[in-house]
Amino acid sequence: MTHSKYIYSPPKNGYPEWNNNPEIFELNRLPARATLTPYDELSAALAGDRDASGRKISLNGQWKFCFAENYASAPADFYRADYDVSGWRDITVPGHWQLQGWDYPQYTNATYPWALKEPKLRPPYAPSGYNPVGCYVRSFDVSGHSGPVTLHFGAVESAFYVWVNGDFLGFSQDSFTPAEFDVTPYLVEGENRLAVQVFRWSDASWLEDQDFWRLSGIFREVYLELQSPVHIYDVFAKPALNGDFSSATVDVDVVLRNYDFTNDRVSVSAQLYFDGEPILKAPAKTSLDLSGEETEKLNLKAVVDAPRLWSAEKPDLYTLVLTLRDGDKIEFVSLRVGLRSFVVKDGLMQINGVPVMLKGVNRHDFTADHGRATTYEEMLVSAKLMKRHNINAVR
């Protein structure tokens, strides 16, 4: 059993996936999961700097870009490996094309953004007259890596197709959630070409009618994740406190991806850290023989005595580190975990047994300079501004 390239079949109704096909929102997309980064060293996992991991290759930066007012006028075969894009302009990813010299940003509330141009349009049809399309191209090289490679898009608005080296890789709609694809079968030694076609509006845009700025493009990070044949694919940590908050149990569901369908024996352990120091006397641990299936699920439980409780006033977080051992190969992943109790009692919301009043705001990821492609520094400014004004909840 091996992984192979995706075999594409067009929709039966004769329309493309992005138009009049609301039931088709993905093709060849990997199952959704927690955003995890593999590390080769425990110290790196504890630091949690995803960009410093040698297993993450950023594709942010300058891409070649071609803008068209609709699908009919977009270059039909730009995704070919030998297509000449040297005359195209550059665009910064992540970013919106409306803030880089193409198209226009649009603010509407109750009115759909195409209402004036196509007033008779009805769902599930997407606009076809003026519905801008952006074509993106860039190259990458993963020579020297022999394991699987995953391509990650943080967010793309509103629908997009992907090709690697001229081969169709997949399709995705769901503007504000990550989309991942297995690119391993498509790779060649040396330079590889990545091509992406993005639609400003799709049939899914009927579900996104809210009062915010309408912008398009690849507006969150894009990267490649270099993985081991057996790796930690997903983690779900579920904390629970006992009645008097004197101890907490962290229930950890783990999904392993067994890319080569091997029958190896592997072990997985979990340790909680606070300020870099281990909390558990011994890590929670299990081992198993892989069954030759692509995914394996397992569960680990850890008990924390006298836990430091999370609250808005004192947001203490533990670092959960999972260690996977497969023969002489070791991989670490980490995530931050808060231990707290939330209940509704006598009509009042309580955090750790204390009634709490929500002082909240509505917020979109947005800045005047970058739209929804917000930088870390811009997000930090917003977070500090809210804390200075005693905001403790965000919708």
Side-chain angles (χ1 to χ4, degrees):
M1 187 182 297
T2 58
H3 293 270
S4 58
K5 294 179 180 179
Y6 177 74
I7 299 175
Y8 173 74
S9 296
K12 295 180 180 179
N13 65 1
Y15 285 85
E17 290 78 9
W18 57 272
N19 188 11
N20 192 30
N21 278 297
E23 73 282 0
I24 303 176
F25 53 87
E26 61 179 359
L27 294 176
N28 201 34
R29 198 170 73 186
L30 291 171
R33 59 170 180 153
T35 299
L36 301 171
T37 299
Y39 299 93
D40 294 317
E41 303 290 340
L42 174 60
S43 58
L46 286 172
D49 185 353
R50 296 171 56 240
D51 292 327
S53 171
R55 305 278 205 93
K56 179 184 177 184
I57 297 179
S58 175
L59 298 182
N60 295 343
Q62 298 302 298
W63 294 49
K64 289 296 182 181
F65 182 74
C66 178
F67 174 81
E69 291 194 354
N70 52 43
Y71 176 67
S73 57
D77 54 356
F78 80 99
Y79 56 83
R80 290 196 337 254
D82 60 352
Y83 192 92
D84 183 11
V85 298
S86 60
W88 290 12
R89 288 170 55 188
D90 290 340
I91 192 171
T92 299
V93 172
H96 300 288
W97 66 59
Q98 287 90 352
L99 300 182
Q100 299 187 59
W102 295 273
D103 199 9
Y104 57 89
Q106 183 181 13
Y107 184 92
T108 64
N109 186 354
T111 304
Y112 279 103
W114 53 79
L116 293 179
K117 288 185 169 67
E118 298 191 41
K120 296 182 179 181
L121 191 68
R122 294 293 181 269
Y125 293 93
S128 56
Y130 185 80
N131 184 1
V133 174
C135 297
Y136 297 73
V137 172
R138 69 155 293 159
S139 297
F140 63 89
D141 190 335
V142 289
S143 298
H145 178 70
S146 58
V149 179
T150 295
L151 172 62
H152 175 104
F153 291 89
V156 182
E157 192 172 357
S158 69
F160 68 103
Y161 295 85
V162 190
W163 295 262
V164 175
N165 296 322
D167 290 322
F168 178 65
L169 177 62
F171 167 81
S172 179
Q173 286 179 193
D174 202 352
S175 298
F176 294 88
T177 57
E180 293 187 318
F181 302 90
D182 176 17
V183 299
T184 318
Y186 302 81
L187 300 177
V188 298
E189 189 68 22
E191 185 175 279
N192 292 265
R193 173 174 283 204
L194 174 61
V196 183
Q197 187 173 57
V198 180
F199 292 77
R200 176 162 188 173
W201 297 308
S202 65
D203 48 23
S205 300
W206 290 98
L207 301 177
E208 294 184 346
D209 193 30
Q210 51 183 312
D211 54 337
F212 69 163
W213 282 96
R214 312 307 170 99
L215 299 162
S216 317
I218 305 172
F219 66 92
R220 289 185 186 150
E221 65 175 342
V222 184
Y223 61 84
L224 299 166
E225 188 172 288
L226 309 183
Q227 296 158 328
S228 302
V230 179
H231 56 271
I232 297 171
Y233 183 77
D234 198 8
V235 179
F236 187 10
K238 295 169 283 187
L241 296 173
N242 67 349
D244 61 3
F245 310 140
S246 61
S247 72
T249 300
V250 182
D251 199 359
V252 185
D253 291 330
V254 181
V255 177
L256 301 181
R257 191 179 184 206
N258 180 14
Y259 195 84
D260 288 344
F261 306 100
T262 66
N263 294 290
D264 292 351
R265 186 167 186 80
V266 301
S267 68
V268 180
S269 61
Q271 175 64 275
L272 284 165
Y273 294 82
F274 194 89
D275 286 341
E277 296 298 323
I279 299 302
L280 307 177
K281 293 181 180 178
K285 185 176 181 179
T286 189
S287 60
L288 69 157
D289 291 315
L290 300 176
S291 62
E293 299 295 326
E294 185 171 5
T295 58
E296 301 280 352
K297 297 180 180 180
L298 56 96
N299 177 266
L300 297 167
K301 287 183 172 60
V303 176
V304 181
D305 294 323
R308 295 172 181 263
L309 302 183
W310 180 97
S311 68
E313 294 74 25
K314 195 174 182 182
D316 286 335
L317 293 174
Y318 292 82
T319 300
L320 172 65
V321 176
L322 295 173
T323 305
L324 169 66
R325 286 180 169 84
D326 177 16
D328 59 354
K329 295 186 288 291
I330 302 177
E331 172 183 289
F332 304 92
V333 300
S334 62
L335 63 156
R336 304 280 267 167
V337 178
L339 307 183
R340 62 104 175 97
S341 166
F342 173 83
V343 298
V344 177
K345 186 176 181 181
D346 299 329
L348 296 175
M349 293 181 292
Q350 295 188 6
I351 300 291
N352 305 328
V354 179
V356 61
M357 177 182 293
L358 295 187
K359 299 177 181 178
V361 294
N362 293 333
R363 183 187 183 275
H364 289 287
D365 280 343
F366 190 86
T367 66
D369 293 329
H370 301 111
R372 284 185 279 282
T374 50
T375 65
Y376 175 83
E377 291 75 19
E378 289 170 330
M379 288 187 280
L380 194 60
V381 168
S382 293
K384 289 182 175 180
L385 179 65
M386 287 186 280
K387 293 300 288 185
R388 279 198 298 269
H389 289 81
N390 203 26
I391 299 301
N392 65 1
V394 181
R395 173 183 179 268

